[in-house]
């Protein structure tokens, strides 16, 4: 069943050289699944995620035929109604935990705030819920973490806290913007496992943004490959290695591999035609 | 002046007995700064062509009288010796006698400083109460008419000669409209009614329960204080705006929005919290500047404050008074600096 | 394609072909973003006007700025021959205002050349060298910062004698410490950056690093600050003039004109108000331009990407 | 905003010059105003009849010895100090001796009669109810008595003062901020740069003053004073400038009172300057002043043209004012001395009216080819240079120290030793390096002449010569314009001869 | 070529002291590429900074090309011999200096005369071409910036390059270009590399031997064959290997 349906999404920024299209006519749907979005830096992955939540501030412009969340078009909602959507129904884990937590607020307060915003509950209740949530993302010393400030946390913990904070209102959809790229390989694993478990248990829809093809291939159900603001290819994750688009192939081949030593790495040859071609739609 | 740049200077220090070390460091830096302050003031006193002897002996003094005063002041001793005499007195809290009015400088300062303190405090409060919200709104609505209005309001405050505003204000609100009390701190009727405890008439009269005096004192202070308030409003709102702009583009603000917070909660609950620290520094600085005494305001409003005290003393070569006043002002400056540092530690968890 | 558009394209290129081209292009982009800022352009316009006024003062001034006419003093605004009236000695206020722009510009330029440069020097040395130099220099800065500003300026003017140059020196003397602090704080962050490490690895010495690598980065925020402080500088000069210690008579320095006119403020308000408005306009212009420059120069605000 | 109370007088004035309230030391305008109301003197002026000259005050009468060197005063009976102690000859003896021994700045007013710390025991002596003072030579009695009306002649309460003697300072430190007199008022509080509050002495021997409290507030700005007066917050504004006087004149319930003061505005030329030392140049400059233009414009109502060193109302004062602006004549004079264009520096303190005078001079001088560069500085800085004979031209004011012609004659036209070493910084002639061209002896002679008319004639002669040859161009004499609420009567600032007194004022 | 023995590096002193590197010992032969891997904060960069004199305090023995180094000062021959490429291409170029200025200044510091021709050649060497000569950093992409940084490091014609995670801030596609470039110039100029990375495949691609670091200590030195066979002797290295391959 479709949770989110995006049709012909454009994100534009007016610049001195004219209008810059960060996202050009992207369409996709999301069910209760793990949808990966990959692409090189600047290909518009984050902007797509933010546009869904209507977080693009002026002068940026978001245009789309519709962005339907379980049937309602988010573009038609007032700012006030939109606030009820944010957090409670769609949540987003930001790219960099270091900058995404308020440095002068206790972590506990920030998590509880997210809960209290959408639930009529007392602080004690919120506290209990927050502790549970922290434990759910495998934070051991949850009591201490509640009292701590963001700068006292390592990158991995920060990322997990972000996840806990975004999941506490129990959203239908979670957008995770490169949740692991700032992390060490070992910590990366743990975070992925946690998210995986949560998606499975709660039946959420997950949009997983990353630039790491291998990671997405392994972790997600379906993958969108973006290039210059467009979706150039959509494929099932397990079939990623059979992808046809030269861009996707190039990305895959440019990675050094421990198991396949090579003298030279393959270098992506960009074809201007890629960015002119229309987005690959995914209407099901 | 934006002390926001200082963040880098205030990296957390030793985890080892940090309080002890930082207290020692702070104390020694105060001591060094004070010593330098004294030294420079002293040098200024010596190199100025204003002759302290003349201010005592007067224009018509004969040579003998002149020399007598010269020796009385100890001016025949080497400058270094004079400095050390002075230093040892100051350490004992003795700023010497004012050459001009034959009283201990410390007594004078006790009289004039509360006047300035009262004025500056009220002024800075007005500046904060109006300036901070103005700055925040301007930042949030960047580029809107309200931002432009805030800018013009602030810039007028920045660039209008304060004495011009002062005289005009006096003409309009006192001379024509009669809404406020005139120059001076109190009307003649109310002079010497309440006992001097703090030296700040508003406080003294409130303590004594003399509300009529309080009202009169307030009617006198409100105009000069608004003037100073406007001036600090200009500065505070500009700085608030630029701090807020920086915070509003930070990722955690987006995070807060993602949570579904209302814009107002995002601004005041999140972004504003983060500028508190910088704001404190700015306010402290602005307060310190007001406490330095706004000479021109004090002259126009016949306000017997420390600014005009020091200036009069300087113009008439009353070096003891100048030195005393400077030391006090410098000390306040340093204290405010330390105070804002302390608050910084309280408000910014990263500074621990 | 018209000439203008090719020029524009040439200037907006992201692949400049020579040093000059690169520099011009980056100026042009700055200019474009400044031009986009209406308020800043208003400020710039006023300042250009001021400059022209100073330049062509002899042609613009309707009267000799020092010609007295005691029988025709304190004429109101709009009186025949004297659009802005006359002052206490019967001199034409408009002419004095026009010639006064030269002095104002002179003050502003001189202070702007001294205080920030001194601050930059002290701040960057303290920040880069660190250790004892830092402690000593910052203590000195603190002392000057904690010093009552007017006392310092007055003392200085009193020591050297009244006069516009000394007033300027005195103002500079009180104005540098904030710049030093700012430059130091900035240096501290720059010092730790990789590009400084990189140039050190090429064997560059401290002088080269400070002058070629650190200064260019501090200067932009300094410029912004200076333009914002301009109002303060003009007013400080006016303040000294108010105390009779600024420009010497009969110099038509605007601050001095206000302080002359302030005696008549109740009955002949324009005598003080007209130069007051002039100061206001110019400092407003500097402020507006400063705000605009901040957007262009300050990388934090995302002017130059 | 009601009016000031009926028994209270509120005056706005600039009082930042008060440095001490000790009559033996005070030498400033505002201080003299206070002391005049606090201390009785042996002889004094009647504020309601100043033209009458000195009158008995604490001394009921006096006699002059045959040789003219001793004056014996008989003290008035029944007068009491504020402390309740009776005023006695011993107090008078103590007060005068004290002034001589302390040797503060104004002490020359007494010591010029030959009193020294060593000889006061003999020269100033009380005996029962009388006090005898003996001068070193014969002086005009009027001269001596006029000097005793100066501030330094204030009689202090010996008992009270000596209770506060500290380290043998004869109570100097204590008297600086406290008062112990017998006058109409005592000082209740003096807050420097803020206010002086006087309370009346109900036992004042001339009767209890109508104004029970007099508050003198320090208000720096003329505009501010005017606003306060218009708003009824003060009764008297003493420092209004001509424009504000003109403005306030039309205000309801305000009147202006004018009194001729002793203060003179003058320009002096340093004789060390090669060009300025030429007689023709000195003379030319006197023709290069736009006397009438200045008087009628920015000095309007506050100065009158006066070209002699004795202020009008003084004994021997002259009303000859021969000079007026005459560029042609000045040019002729300069040409006759073969003087081409030259440049000189004028020192002037930072007071608007003086700066304007300087600029007017600059303007007229320039028309004869003399470039006048104006250096504005603080009063102290400019004075220091003046005293060091370092200024080409000084533009300043001079007020008499006591109401006798010698006060100005002895400084403008008197210079026994013109060498740098003499360091006679108190003499204006010396400061301008002018040897007074033989006037010194004439001044010496005039001061001992006892015949009033002859003495007056002598001063007239001195001034006539002075006008022509001296390097001083006396310009104006001050008129003090006080603006009062119109219910204030009998207000007097003491004209040219003394200070303001308040006991006679009613409302 | 590089011989490091018992290297300790610490920051601050007394109770502030952070021991960033402890008793590190390894050697790199001429022409060899040696990798340093380990988790974030394990002290990899610090070793490089100690060699170049950018770390404040260290003890132990650092020998470069037969020269024993002392303290923080390095002489001219050292700078000619040893150069470093930094992790973040966005932070390692002066924001107000054009490519031409960066390279020109470096060349003149190394005492070259024919600066213009050398700048052109350097740009060619790193595959940028003269099109980029007068651009400012903000006009360059991350990969292009890293090329400039490499060109700068090559300007003095060094024998040894210290590479501090040269590609970790870059995209996978750009990473390939840079890694290829590094391989090419190594072969052309016979360079010795000491390369820091936390990405095992990258190290495996570039290096012949590597040291694994944990908490400031070198826990194991192994060669690339062992790496490929996933045979680490230390449990930490093993867990690191497992984590990277699991993807
Ligand atoms: N405020 C803005 N004004 C103009 N262009 C912008 C703005 N914000 C983003 N862009 C551009 O939009 C494009 C898409 O950015 P986005 O952040 O979505 O990239 P991304 O795919 O998330 O990259 P990364 O992997 O680096 O996070 C980029 O080219 C970026 O330069
Ligand atoms: N200037 C410094 N002052 C104090 N501690 C420092 C300083 N620089 C580095 N450290 C500490 O030294 C340790 C090693 O840092 P280093 O930068 O070498 O790690 P790294 O292995 O390069 O990590 P990364 O992969 O994140 O670059 C860290 O714990 C770090 O906190
Ligand atoms: Mg992104
Ligand atoms: Mg590192």
């Amino acid at each position: 069943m479709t949770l989110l349906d995006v049709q012909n999404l454009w994100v534009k920024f007016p610049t001195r050289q004219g209008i810059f299209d960060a996202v050009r006519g992207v369409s996709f749907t999301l069910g209760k699944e793990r949808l990966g979005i990959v692409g090189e830096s600047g290909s518009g992955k984050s902007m797509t995620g933010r546009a869904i939540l209507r977080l693009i501030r002026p002068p940026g412009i978001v245009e789309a035929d519709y962005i339907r969340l379980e049937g309602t078009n988010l573009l038609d909602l007032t700012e006030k109604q939109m606030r009820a959507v944010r957090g409670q129904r769609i949540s987003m884990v930001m790219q960099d935990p270091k900058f995404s937590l308020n440095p002068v607020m206790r972590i506990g307060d920030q998590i509880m705030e997210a809960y209290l915003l959408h639930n009529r509950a007392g602080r004690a209740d919120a506290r209990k819920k927050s502790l549970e949530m922290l434990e759910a993302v495998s934070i051991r010393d949850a009591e201490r973490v509640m009292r701590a400030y963001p700068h006292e946390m390592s990158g991995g913990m920060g990322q997990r806290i972000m996840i806990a904070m975004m999941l506490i209102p129990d959203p239908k959809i979670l957008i995770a913007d490169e949740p692991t790229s700032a992390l060490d390989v070992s910590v990366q694993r743990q975070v992925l496992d946690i998210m995986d478990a949560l998606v499975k248990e709660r039946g959420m829809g997950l949009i997983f943004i990353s630039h790491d093809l291998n990671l997405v291939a392994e972790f997600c159900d379906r993958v969108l490959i973006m290039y210059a603001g467009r979706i150039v290819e959509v494929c099932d994750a397990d079939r990623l290695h059979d992808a046809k688009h030269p861009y996707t192939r190039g990305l895959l081949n440019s990675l050094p591999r421990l198991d396949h030593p090579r003298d030279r790495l393959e270098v992506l040859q960009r074809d201007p035609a890629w960015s002119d071609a229309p987005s690959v739609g995914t209407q099901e | 002046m934006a002390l926001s740049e200082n963040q880098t200077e205030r990296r957390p220090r030793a985890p080892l007995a940090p309080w002890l070390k930082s207290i020692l460091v702070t104390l020694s830096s105060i001591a060094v700064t004070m010593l330098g302050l004294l030294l420079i003031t002293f040098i200024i006193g010596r190199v100025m062509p204003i002759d302290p002897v003349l201010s005592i002996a007067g224009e018509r003094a004969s040579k003998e009288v002149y020399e007598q005063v010269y020796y009385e002041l100890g001016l025949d001793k080497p400058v270094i010796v004079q400095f050390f005499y002075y230093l040892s007195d100051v350490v004992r809290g003795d700023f010497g006698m004012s050459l001009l009015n034959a009283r201990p400088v410390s007594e004078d300062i006790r009289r004039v400083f509360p006047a300035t303190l009262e004025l500056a405090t009220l002024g800075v409060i007005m500046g904060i109460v109006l300036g901070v919200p103005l700055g925040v709104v301007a930042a949030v609505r960047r580029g809107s008419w309200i931002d432009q209005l805030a800018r013009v309001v602030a810039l007028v405050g920045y660039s209008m000669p304060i004495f011009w505003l002062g005289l005009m204000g006096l003409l309009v609100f006192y001379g024509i409209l009669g809404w406020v009390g005139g120059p001076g701190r109190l009307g003649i009727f109310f002079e010497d009614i309440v006992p001097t405890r703090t030296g700040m008439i508003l406080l003294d009269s409130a303590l004594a329960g003399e509300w009529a005096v309080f009202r009169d004192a307030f009617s006198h202070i409100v105009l000069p204080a608004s003037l100073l308030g406007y001036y600090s409003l200009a500065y505070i709102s500009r700085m608030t705006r630029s701090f807020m702009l920086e915070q509003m583009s930070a990722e955690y603000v987006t995070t807060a929005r993602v949570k579904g917070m209302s814009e107002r909660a995002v601004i005041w609950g999140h972004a504003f919290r983060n500028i508190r620290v910088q704001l404190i520094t700015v306010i402290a600085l602005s307060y310190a500047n007001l406490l330095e005494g706004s000479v021109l305001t004090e002259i126009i409003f016949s306000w017997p404050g420390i600014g005009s005290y020091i200036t009069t003393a300087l113009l008439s070569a009353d070096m003891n008074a100048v030195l005393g006043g400077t030391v006090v002002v410098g000390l306040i400056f340093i204290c405010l600096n330390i105070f804002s540092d302390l608050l910084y530690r309280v408000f910014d968890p990263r500074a621990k | 394609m018209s000439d203008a558009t090719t020029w524009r394209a040439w200037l907006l290129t992201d692949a400049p072909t020579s040093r000059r081209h690169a520099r011009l292009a980056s100026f042009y982009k700055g200019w474009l973003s400044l031009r986009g800022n209406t308020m800043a352009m208003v400020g710039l316009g006023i300042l250009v006007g001021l400059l022209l006024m100073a330049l062509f003062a002899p042609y613009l001034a309707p009267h000799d700025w020092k010609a007295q006419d005691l029988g025709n003093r304190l004429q109101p605004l709009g009186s025949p021959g004297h659009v802005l009236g006359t002052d206490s000695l019967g001199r034409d206020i408009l002419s004095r205002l026009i010639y006064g722009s030269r002095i104002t510009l002179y003050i502003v330029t001189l202070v702007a050349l001294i205080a920030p440069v001194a601050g930059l020097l002290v701040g960057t040395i303290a920040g880069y060298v660190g250790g004892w130099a830092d402690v000593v220099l910052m203590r000195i800065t603190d002392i000057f910062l904690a010093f009552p500003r007017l006392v310092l300026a007055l003392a200085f003017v009193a020591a050297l004698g009244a006069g516009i140059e000394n007033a300027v020196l005195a103002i500079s003397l009180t104005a540098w410490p904030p710049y030093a602090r700012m430059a130091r704080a900035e240096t501290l962050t720059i010092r730790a950056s990789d590009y400084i490490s990189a140039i050190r690895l090429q064997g560059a010495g401290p002088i080269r690093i400070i002058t070629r690598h650190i200064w260019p980065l501090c200067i932009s925020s300094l410029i912004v600050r200076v333009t914002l402080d301009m109002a303060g500088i003009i007013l400080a000069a006016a303040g000294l003039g108010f105390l009779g210690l600024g420009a010497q008579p009969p110099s038509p320095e605007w601050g001095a004109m206000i302080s002359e006119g302030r005696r008549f403020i109740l009955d002949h308000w324009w005598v003080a108000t007209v130069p007051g408005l002039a100061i206001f306009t110019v400092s407003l212009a500097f402020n507006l331009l400063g705000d605009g420059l901040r957007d262009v120069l300050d990388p934090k605000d995302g002017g130059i990407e | 905003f009601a009016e000031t109370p009926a028994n209270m007088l509120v005056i706005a004035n600039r009082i930042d010059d008060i440095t001490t309230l000790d009559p033996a030391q005070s030498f400033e305008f505002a201080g003299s105003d206070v002391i005049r109301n606090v201390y009785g003197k042996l002889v004094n002026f009647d504020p309601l009849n100043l033209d009458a000259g000195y009158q008995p005050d604490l001394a009921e009468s006096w006699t002059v010895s045959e040789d003219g060197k001793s004056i014996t005063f008989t003290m008035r009976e029944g007068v009491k100090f504020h402390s309740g102690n009776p005023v006695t000859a011993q107090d008078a003896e103590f007060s005068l001796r004290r002034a001589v021994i302390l040797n503060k700045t104004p002490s020359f007013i007494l010591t010029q009669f030959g009193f020294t710390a060593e000889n006061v025991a003999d020269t100033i002596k009380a005996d029962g109810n009388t006090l005898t003072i003996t001068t070193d030579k014969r002086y005009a009695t009027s001269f001596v008595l006029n000097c005793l009306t100066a501030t330094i002649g204030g009689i202090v309460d010996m008992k009270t003062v000596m209770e506060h003697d500290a380290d043998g300072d004869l109570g100097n430190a204590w008297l600086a901020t406290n008062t112990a007199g017998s006058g109409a008022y005592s000082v209740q509080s003096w807050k420097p740069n803020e206010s002086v509050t006087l309370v009346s002495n109900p036992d004042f021997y001339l009767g209890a003053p109508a104004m029970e409290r007099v508050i003198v507030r320090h208000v720096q700005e003329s505009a501010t004073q005017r606003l306060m007066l218009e708003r009824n917050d003060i009764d008297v504004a003493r420092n209004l400038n001509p424009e504000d006087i003109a403005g306030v004149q039309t205000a309801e319930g305000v009147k202006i009172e004018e009194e001729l003061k002793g203060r003179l505005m003058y320009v002096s030329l340093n004789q060390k300057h090669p060009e300025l030392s030429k007689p023709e140049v000195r003379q030319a400059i006197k023709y290069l002043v736009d006397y009438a233009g200045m008087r009628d414009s920015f000095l309007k109502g506050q100065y009158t043209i006066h070209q002699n060193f004795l202020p009008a109302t003084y004994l021997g004062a002259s009303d000859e004012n021969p000079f007026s602006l005459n560029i042609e004549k000045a040019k002729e004079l300069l040409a006759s001395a073969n003087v081409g264009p030259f440049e000189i520096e004028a020192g002037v303190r930072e007071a608007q009216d003086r700066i304007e005078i300087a600029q007017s001079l600059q303007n007229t001088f320039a028309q004869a080819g003399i470039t006048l560069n104006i250096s504005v500085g603080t009063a102290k800085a400019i004075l220091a240079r003046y005293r060091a004979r370092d200024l080409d031209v000084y533009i300043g004011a001079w007020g008499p120290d006591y109401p006798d012609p010698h006060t100005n004659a002895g400084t403008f036209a008197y210079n026994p030793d013109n060498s740098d070493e003499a360091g006679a910084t108190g003499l204006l002639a010396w400061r301008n390096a002018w040897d007074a061209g033989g006037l010194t002896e004439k001044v010496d002679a005039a001061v001992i002449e006892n015949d009033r008319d002859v003495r007056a004639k002598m001063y007239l002669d001195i001034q006539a010569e002075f006008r022509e040859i001296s390097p001083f161009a006396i310009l104006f004499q001050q008129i003090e314009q006080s603006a009062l609420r119109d219910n204030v009567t009998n207000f007097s600032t003491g004209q040219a001869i003394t200070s303001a007194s308040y006991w006679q004022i009613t409302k | 070529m590089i011989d490091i023995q018992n290297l300790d590096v610490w920051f601050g002193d007394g109770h502030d002291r952070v021991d960033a590197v402890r008793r590190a010992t390894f050697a790199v032969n001429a022409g060899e590429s040696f990798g340093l891997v380990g988790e974030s904060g394990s002290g990899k960069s610090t070793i490089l900074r100690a060699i170049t004199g950018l770390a404040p305090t260290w003890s132990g023995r650092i020998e470069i090309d037969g020269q024993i180094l002392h303290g923080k000062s390095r002489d001219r021959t050292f700078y000619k011999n040893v150069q470093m490429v930094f992790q973040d291409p966005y932070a390692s170029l002066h924001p107000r200096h054009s490519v031409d200025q960066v390279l020109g200044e470096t060349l003149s510091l190394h005492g070259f005369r024919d600066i213009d021709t050398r700048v052109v050649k350097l740009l060619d060497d790193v595959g940028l071409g003269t099109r980029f000569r007068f651009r400012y950093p903000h006009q360059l992409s991350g990969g292009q910036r890293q090329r400039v940084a490499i060109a700068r490091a090559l300007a003095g014609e060094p024998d040894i390059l210290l590479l501090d995670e040269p590609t970790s801030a870059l995209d996978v596609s750009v990473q390939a270009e840079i890694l290829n470039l590094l391989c090419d110039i190594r072969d052309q100029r016979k360079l010795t590399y000491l390369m820091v990375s936390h990405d095992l495949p990258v190290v495996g691609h570039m290096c012949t031997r590597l040291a694994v670091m944990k908490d400031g200590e070198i826990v194991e030195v192994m060669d690339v064959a062992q790496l490929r066979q996933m045979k680490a002797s230390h449990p930490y290295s093993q867990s690191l290997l497992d984590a990277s391959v699991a993807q």
Side-chain angles (χ1 to χ4, degrees), chain E residues 11 18 20 39-47 87 164-165 196 198:
Chain E
F11 297 98
V18 178
E39 64 180 357
S40 183
S42 58
K44 307 180 296 285
S45 304
T46 307
I47 289 182
Q87 176 169 5
D164 190 355
E165 314 204 25
V196 166
H198 62 245

Side-chain angles (χ1 to χ4, degrees), chain B residues 178-197:
Chain B
W179 289 354
V180 301
R185 299 179 71 188
L186 265 185
I188 298 295
F189 280 126
F190 301 98
E191 203 97 59
D192 299 322
I193 291 182
V194 295
T196 304
R197 270 181 258 191

